[in-house]
Amino acid sequence: MSERKNTMFNPAMEAMSRDERTALQSKRLRETVRREYDNVPVYRARMDEIGVKPEDIRGIEDLKHLPFTEKTDLRDYFPYGLFASPLQDIVRIQGSSGTTGKPIVAGYTANDVEVWTEMMARTLSAAGAGKDDIVQVAYGYGLFTGGLGAHQGAGKIGATVIPMSSGNTHRQLLMLRELGTTILCCTPSYALYLGESLREAGVDPKDIKLRAGCFGAEPWTEAMRKRIEELLGIDALDVYGLTEICGPGVAFECMEKHGMHINEDHVIAEILDPVTHEPLPCGQSGELVFTTITKEGMPMLRYRTHDICVLDDTPCACGRTLVRMGRITGRTDDMLVIRGVNVFPSQIESVLVGVQGVAPHYMLVVDRVHSTDTLEVQVEMTDQMFSDTVSHIEQLKQLIRDRIKQVVGITASIKLVAPRSIPRSEGKAKRVIDNRKL
Ligand code: ADP
Ligand code: ZN
């Protein structure tokens, strides 16, 4: 494991006194609220409706008076309805899967890209990375924020970037060994898979140069951390983010490995009681809600992540004064994260409803095989289809697989089952069996 101390990319911000930070947050919050009210009709209408004017928000203590923003808002006002900057100032669009097959997009001004880049530069610096490092980015590139986020951050710290994107394990390992990669960025499940593959190839972790990894975009556990660290001989650090706020880097772990520091000079985090939606004090578990305070393109006021975690404001030995969030322990909605992709059962349902020969009774079985997430979609056939030829049934499976791939973006295995074989429930239907041990 690494001997190097973690360094701060921006000590003035990362180790700022709490009082100074509160003042900075309050100032930036006032500016953001004004920007939203003046430029985004949806926000203005919402604030007017509850009788809150921008001047009523004097500081972070008034945050609780602001309305919430939901993922469905990004879908409903798709594509540009929540933008607070004119399109000519938008230099980037990134995206993620929405709730009903319609994607959600986020727009960034040049400054927004810069802020996001710095968040990932802080993340990598906390893992001990600098300009002597070779950073292999094995997150997917494209609309998904993982690849580009890590890429930009690695560029910012002056490291050598290898933009591998995801997949092609054989080539990943070849590059990792031959080029002497020192820092790896990918999902934790992929890191585990790479580690196992390396072992199978008979490579001793001592013979590779890898020192640390920044792993995120999906939930993982302490047990997984231990295993990854063992297999690859590295420090494995957690990184959290979401497209709506900017992407990965919203919060990052330091070498203390005791929760992820939230970049509070750019976002304000709240934890809400999942039922009453009242803010909870540090140390209590609830729904994580973010307000961006420096974003220009698409600022978010009290964005409900639906991720459940705890905040910790006790001092951290690394010297950062940024509050830490614990691991994500669950979600308040039915969103699944499969291979880093957000999947809603309703998306699968919308595909099935449009296919002839199947009944709208289905079950999603998620598992983790050889550290890769798998999704099996079990669907009931109609009586008529059930007595049809094998080749027809194969065609039907192919069709469903293709449509799911189009809508959700991941490949599922399809299992057609006999009519009336999926258990019916009397209350809320149970559509998902998640066998991953997380
Ligand atoms: P990303 O590109 O970071 O995956 P998305 O917007 O596609 O962004 O997905 C964001 C969601 O992914 C989060 O709301 C959370 O549920 C999950 N997620 C991201 N990072 C982590 C992490 N480190 N631990 C647990 N869940 C995470
Ligand atoms: Zn720390």
Side-chain angles (χ1 to χ4, degrees):
M1 298 220 184
S2 137
E3 297 293 310
R4 282 211 235 169
K5 273 253 109 344
N6 56 79
T7 43
M8 285 186 220
F9 180 80
N10 186 345
M13 288 296 152
E14 294 175 64
M16 185 179 247
S17 79
R18 286 270 159 88
D19 288 347
E20 269 181 289
R21 183 173 298 118
T22 303
L24 180 69
Q25 287 183 321
S26 292
K27 173 176 168 282
R28 290 180 168 177
L29 175 65
R30 288 192 295 271
E31 290 163 1
T32 301
V33 171
R34 172 52 74 187
R35 183 178 188 86
E36 292 280 51
Y37 192 82
D38 290 347
N39 298 302
V40 185
V42 183
Y43 273 117
R44 177 195 286 258
R46 273 190 197 169
M47 285 172 61
D48 284 347
E49 198 179 311
I50 54 174
V52 177
K53 293 272 167 258
E55 50 275 21
D56 296 334
I57 308 301
R58 286 151 305 178
I60 59 169
E61 65 284 1
D62 293 322
L63 201 58
K64 56 181 182 290
H65 302 307
L66 290 168
F68 292 118
T69 309
E70 288 275 2
K71 203 184 200 61
T72 47
D73 290 322
L74 282 103
R75 188 196 66 199
D76 296 345
Y77 302 105
F78 175 87
Y80 302 135
L82 297 176
F83 283 21
S85 295
L87 266 185
Q88 74 237 69
D89 292 339
I90 298 291
V91 300
R92 177 83 66 81
I93 300 284
Q94 300 279 163
S96 170
S97 44
T99 38
T100 59
K102 205 161 154 189
I104 60 146
V105 292
Y108 303 65
T109 63
N111 192 59
D112 294 339
V113 173
E114 195 46 43
V115 167
W116 175 29
T117 300
E118 173 162 340
M119 289 190 191
M120 277 310 291
R122 291 182 192 180
T123 304
L124 287 158
S125 302
K131 60 181 167 42
D132 298 330
D133 281 288
I134 300 180
V135 179
Q136 184 159 337
V137 180
Y139 284 114
Y141 280 64
L143 276 181
F144 173 63
T145 52
L148 282 162
H151 185 103
Q152 291 160 193
K156 184 86 182 171
I157 59 170
T160 308
V161 195
I162 317 177
M164 292 297 292
S165 196
S166 52
N168 202 338
T169 304
H170 180 76
R171 201 154 55 118
Q172 298 276 1
L173 293 177
L174 183 92
M175 298 297 250
L176 190 137
R177 292 169 67 183
E178 299 290 329
L179 299 184
T181 300
T182 54
I183 306 281
L184 177 65
C185 297
C186 61
T187 58
S189 52
Y190 197 51
L192 193 58
Y193 185 58
L194 286 173
E196 284 168 351
S197 307
L198 203 68
R199 274 297 157 94
E200 274 162 29
V203 181
D204 190 311
K206 288 195 198 71
D207 297 332
I208 58 169
K209 300 235 171 77
L210 208 60
R211 293 191 293 109
C214 300
F215 307 126
E218 65 183 6
W220 53 312
T221 58
E222 279 310 309
M224 250 176 103
R225 172 170 8 229
K226 294 249 147 44
R227 185 79 185 125
I228 294 171
E229 293 192 329
E230 227 168 66
L231 283 169
L232 290 168
I234 62 171
D235 286 302
L237 304 177
D238 200 356
V239 50
Y240 171 90
L242 60 168
T243 312
E244 295 85 339
I245 302 304
C246 69
V250 170
F252 61 94
E253 242 177 3
C254 64
M255 287 290 187
E256 298 302 317
K257 301 180 189 169
H258 214 75
M260 294 174 275
H261 290 286
I262 298 177
N263 282 307
E264 291 179 285
D265 46 327
H266 297 296
V267 298
I268 302 173
E270 294 174 273
I271 292 287
L272 301 188
D273 182 307
V275 180
T276 64
H277 301 157
E278 285 302 313
L280 293 173
C282 277
Q284 285 195 34
S285 173
E287 181 181 337
L288 183 60
V289 170
F290 284 114
T291 298
T292 67
I293 49 174
T294 50
K295 260 179 94 169
E296 300 169 340
M298 198 182 79
M300 289 276 117
L301 298 180
R302 305 191 87 197
Y303 181 74
R304 294 186 55 187
T305 65
H306 291 278
D307 289 324
I308 297 171
C309 72
V310 181
L311 294 185
D312 179 0
D313 65 355
T314 60
C316 183
C318 75
R320 290 176 182 80
T321 51
L322 302 166
V323 72
R324 282 162 294 166
M325 56 182 270
R327 286 195 185 280
I328 304 294
T329 55
R331 294 196 43 93
T332 62
D333 62 9
D334 60 354
M335 186 179 92
L336 294 160
V337 182
I338 301 174
R339 282 175 240 148
V341 176
N342 302 345
V343 179
F344 291 89
S346 56
Q347 288 178 303
I348 309 272
E349 191 167 311
S350 71
V351 167
L352 298 177
V353 167
V355 175
Q356 282 213 344
V358 295
H361 293 290
Y362 65 95
M363 186 70 88
L364 309 182
V365 184
V366 190
D367 208 341
R368 193 160 276 178
V369 182
H370 304 307
S371 40
T372 303
D373 292 338
T374 58
L375 170 64
E376 179 183 82
V377 179
Q378 301 180 350
V379 205
E380 276 184 19
M381 286 181 274
T382 56
D383 284 317
Q384 197 192 0
M385 196 67 208
F386 193 50
S387 53
D388 214 327
T389 63
V390 173
S391 72
H392 263 144
I393 292 177
E394 275 310 310
Q395 277 172 9
L396 184 65
K397 279 166 78 168
Q398 186 64 41
L399 176 80
I400 298 172
R401 193 161 38 234
D402 291 348
R403 293 224 178 135
I404 290 178
K405 172 86 188 174
Q406 273 165 17
V407 171
V408 188
I410 65 171
T411 306
S413 75
I414 312 298
K415 185 173 173 189
L416 295 177
V417 299
R420 289 168 294 281
S421 63
I422 288 180
R424 308 292 195 251
S425 89
E426 285 167 9
K428 212 167 138 67
K430 186 168 165 50
R431 301 286 197 199
V432 181
I433 300 173
D434 199 338
N435 291 323
R436 291 176 293 187
K437 307 268 174 309
L438 282 174

